[in-house]
Amino acid sequence: MNNLTGRFISFEGTEGVGKTTAINNLCQKLEDAGIEYVHTREPGGSDFAEKLRDILLSPATQINEDTELLLIFAARSDHLANVILPALKAGKWVICDRFVDSSFAYQGFGRSSDNENHAIAMQAKVKQLTADFVEKMPDLTLWLDLPVKEGIERAGKRSAADRFEQEAVDFFERVHQGYQYLAKNEPERFKRISASGTAEQVAKRIWQAVNENV
Ligand code: TMP
């Protein structure tokens, strides 16, 4: 897809690492630099995908892990076709709060607690869906890393827990392992950023990573 002239940056992290603040700070810097961008999120980001987001996050939803995975990729397909690809074609930057790496970490690692074969099968499904349905990977992914328990404490101080936030600590420890795996195996694209310290310090690390890699 070489007609995509915009740049595509995604953000990742477990609960409570400060993604929202970090993304808002980056968007402000892009604005100051006169760069046109679209700020979007997953699951969601397009009209239809936002409807699926409501279902996916609702604590009332009872679905199995395959249904969850397929709904997330259905949402992603709509989001890509209607928001991400058109923006990149128009030369805009796309700043996305979560993308395929969340599926790898949450569905591939988080949802596979019982045995290693289950984990391998879930990760293979995510990889296959990505290969089949994701035409464009991010140019850069910034993983905001904080010890899981610290993040959960921060997140706990916010609004009522959604379907994912209700998971136990060991779920998020597995998600964290998924991110570690990605940082190790895709170091060119997937960069770890320490989320410790003040919002200004994190914003500075992010701006440096963007300038070095995009
Ligand atoms: P948010 O809290 O960052 O808005 O994200 C919503 C939740 O959706 C979050 O708990 C992670 C989860 N999620 C997945 O499990 N898989 C995915 O592919 C995506 C994009 C999000």
Side-chain angles (χ1 to χ4, degrees), residues 22 43 56 77 90 99-100 162 175:
L56 281 159
S77 170
F99 197 59
V100 288
D162 67 32
V175 172

Side-chain angles (χ1 to χ4, degrees), residues 15 19 42-43 53 72 76 98 102-103 106-107 164:
E15 314 301 305
K19 258 185 313 103
E42 290 211 344
R53 178 187 175 92
I72 287 169
R76 181 162 296 136
R98 301 192 180 280
S102 278
S103 303
Y106 281 73
Q107 281 66 49
F164 291 97

Side-chain angles (χ1 to χ4, degrees), residues 55-67:
I55 294 169
L56 281 159
L57 265 55
S58 167
T61 297
Q62 290 185 352
I63 49 177
N64 69 29
E65 67 203 20
D66 283 344
T67 308

Side-chain angles (χ1 to χ4, degrees), residues 11 37 43 46 72 81 87 187 210 212:
F11 279 80
Y37 67 90
S46 62
I72 287 169
V210 168
E212 280 170 8

